Amino acid sequence: MKVTEHLDRATGPLISFEIIPPLRGGNVQELLGLIEDLVRYRPPFIDITSHAAEVIYEEKAQGIERRVKRKRPGTLGVCALIQNKWRVDAVPHILCRGFTREETEDFLIELRYLGIDNVLAVRGDDSGYVKPLQHGRSANLYAADLVRQIADMNRGKYLEEDLLDAEPSDFCVGVGGYAEKHFEAPNLLTDIRRTKEKVDAGADYVVTQMFFDNPAYFRYVELCREEGIDVPIIPGIKILTSKKQLTSIPRVFYVDIPEALSLEVENAPAEQAEDVGVEWALEQSRELLDRGVPAIHFYVMQSSRAIQKLLGKLAVAPALAARSV
Ligand SMILES: Cc1cc2nc3c(=O)[nH]c(=O)nc-3n(C[C@H](O)[C@H](O)[C@H](O)COP(=O)(O)OP(=O)(O)OC[C@H]3O[C@@H](n4cnc5c(N)ncnc54)[C@H](O)[C@@H]3O)c2cc1C
C-alpha cells in the first residue's frame, strides 16, 4: 500500500522507521533482529536507505591508492524481506548520485515486480565519486529530476522512447525536506521553492531531515504551505545517543543541536547520554503529536534500544506477537 494511503486511512498519527543496510560483508542477522524489534510496533512502512559508491584513498607501501567502493549495498534485498516476510510496506531510497538513469529505471522495474509501491527520491551526498557516463547513459542531477523520471514511468513513459505498450508503474514518491534548510541552499525560502519543484514534479509527500528543535519544523511547515506545498510533511526525529554525536550530527547532517540539549548531554555521565536523548526526543514527539502531525518518522538506523525506550514512554505498545509469516 502507498504511504499516502496509509496516511489517508489512519485514524491517528503513524510511527515509521528508517534503517540502514549492513556494511558489505556485514551480519544481516543483526539487521533482521532490529526489524523484528521494530515491526512489533506495527509501523505502516519502513524506509531503507541507499548508498552510492564512494572514493576511498588508502595509504599503501607504493603510495596513496584511490579506490571506488560501495560500502553498503543491499537496499533491494532488505526491502524484499520487509515487504514479504513481515508484510510491512518497504520504502527504498533511490539516489541521483552514483547511479545512471538507466540503472534507476532497472531498479524501479525490480521494485515493481516485488510489489513495492513506494520510493523516497533523494539526490545523495557528494561521495567524491562521479559515475562516468558512457554509451549514451544519462544521470539525474537533482532530486526533482529523479522525481520526474519516476512520474514519467508512472505514466508509462520509460527511457526507451520506442518501447511500445509499456505498462505504467504506480509508485508513491516521497522526497526530503529541511526544516533548517539544506546546507547548500543560499537560504530557507530558496530551498523551500526547490522542494516545491519536487512536489510539482510529482512527489506525494515530504519527510524532513532530523531536527531537534520543534519550532523550526512548525515554521518550516508554515512556510511550505505559504509556498503552495500542500502534501503531507512528515517530521523526521533522531534520538541522540552519545556525547560524540554532539559534534558528529552537526558535521554530517548540518543540523543544529539546541543549547539546552547539548548542555544536558555534556553534563551527564557518558552512560546516561542516551537517556537524555530519549527524554528530549520524547518531548519533541509528544508536542508533534499534540499538534496533529500525520506521522513521525524515526531515524533508527542500526539499533532499536533507544527507540524502544522512547516508544515505551510514549505508550506505543508493541504487538504481542511479531507479524513474521
Ligand atoms: C528523508 C531523507 C532521507 C535521505 N536518505 C538518504 C539516503 O538513503 N542515501 C543518501 O545518500 N542520502 C540520503 N539523504 C541525504 C540527501 O541525499 C542529502 O541531503 C542531499 O545532499 C540532498 O538531497 P535532496 O534530495 O534533498 O536534494 P535536492 O532536492 O536535489 O536538493 C539539493 C540541493 O540543491 C538545491 N537545488 C535543488 N534544485 C536545484 C536547481 N535546479 N538548481 C540549483 N539548486 C538546486 C537545493 O536547494 C538543495 O540545496 C536523505 C535525506 C533526507 C531528508
Side-chain angles (χ1 to χ4, degrees):
M1 198 158 106
K2 294 179 174 185
V3 166
T4 43
E5 290 176 73
H6 282 293
L7 295 173
D8 288 345
R9 290 183 191 186
T11 50
L14 303 175
I15 302 286
S16 63
F17 303 115
E18 181 161 322
I19 59 171
I20 181 168
L23 282 168
R24 183 178 292 275
N27 184 338
V28 79
Q29 291 307 325
E30 275 172 28
L31 183 75
L32 300 187
L34 167 67
I35 300 168
E36 194 77 45
D37 288 342
L38 297 178
V39 296
R40 292 164 69 231
Y41 295 94
R42 298 212 180 282
F45 57 94
I46 297 181
D47 279 48
I48 302 91
T49 57
S50 247
H51 302 268
E54 320 169 19
V55 173
I56 316 266
Y57 290 94
E58 284 173 7
E59 206 170 329
K60 296 274 166 82
Q62 318 82 288
I64 306 280
E65 191 178 287
R66 179 185 186 272
R67 294 179 61 193
V68 175
K69 281 192 192 174
R70 190 166 178 218
K71 287 194 202 156
R72 288 186 194 270
T75 303
L76 184 63
V78 176
C79 286
L81 265 173
I82 291 179
Q83 187 101 1
N84 293 301
K85 182 167 159 63
W86 285 286
R87 308 272 179 232
V88 172
D89 281 299
V91 185
H93 292 187
I94 47 177
L95 308 179
C96 304
R97 284 184 167 159
F99 300 88
T100 64
R101 296 173 78 226
E102 291 71 18
E103 286 167 335
T104 296
E105 182 168 292
D106 290 353
F107 188 64
L108 291 167
I109 290 171
E110 304 279 5
L111 295 176
R112 236 191 113 219
Y113 291 170
L114 282 168
I116 289 170
D117 297 323
N118 302 285
V119 289
L120 188 105
V122 285
R123 185 193 66 178
D125 279 325
D126 183 8
S127 64
Y129 174 62
V130 180
K131 182 133 193 166
L133 294 176
Q134 292 165 333
H135 313 298
R137 307 263 119 173
S138 54
N140 290 309
L141 197 53
Y142 292 107
D145 304 319
L146 180 53
V147 175
R148 257 173 235 119
Q149 180 182 0
I150 304 162
D152 276 349
M153 207 167 140
N154 279 350
R155 286 190 291 268
K157 187 169 176 244
Y158 288 61
L159 295 177
E160 270 180 47
E161 303 234 323
D162 51 358
L163 211 58
L164 295 176
D165 300 327
E167 274 192 23
S169 54
D170 189 20
F171 289 108
C172 171
V173 185
V175 289
Y178 301 83
E180 298 172 35
K181 98 170 178 67
H182 183 263
F183 70 99
E184 290 169 24
N187 53 65
L188 184 59
L189 271 183
T190 305
D191 195 32
I192 287 174
R193 281 183 206 120
R194 296 303 187 189
T195 301
K196 172 81 163 45
E197 285 171 17
K198 297 192 265 193
V199 174
D200 291 345
D204 299 294
Y205 68 100
V206 176
V207 180
T208 74
Q209 180 57 282
M210 66 186 73
F211 57 87
F212 294 88
D213 181 38
N214 285 357
Y217 167 79
F218 295 129
R219 182 174 134 72
Y220 176 68
V221 174
E222 225 175 87
L223 292 172
C224 284
R225 300 302 181 224
E226 282 170 19
E227 244 353 274
I229 296 175
D230 53 5
V231 297
I233 302 175
I234 301 176
I237 295 290
K238 162 138 183 76
I239 304 173
L240 194 144
T241 55
S242 70
K243 290 190 180 225
K244 215 174 70 187
Q245 289 181 342
L246 286 179
T247 48
S248 64
I249 287 178
R251 188 177 65 243
V252 176
F253 300 103
Y254 305 93
V255 297
D256 261 17
I257 298 186
E259 196 193 4
L261 174 58
S262 68
L263 278 179
E264 216 181 319
V265 172
E266 270 168 21
N267 292 332
E271 64 282 5
Q272 278 169 28
E274 178 174 293
D275 289 333
V276 174
V278 167
E279 282 306 316
W280 187 274
L282 178 67
E283 287 316 308
Q284 279 193 280
S285 304
R286 284 190 174 131
E287 189 185 20
L288 290 166
L289 295 176
D290 282 351
R291 296 272 296 256
V293 295
I296 301 182
H297 184 71
F298 286 103
Y299 290 101
V300 172
M301 312 324 271
Q302 305 186 69
S303 161
S304 67
R305 199 179 58 207
I307 187 68
Q308 294 203 63
K309 282 188 199 170
L310 183 146
L311 293 178
K313 291 177 182 227
L314 201 59
V316 177
L320 286 178
R323 281 195 286 183
S324 184
V325 287

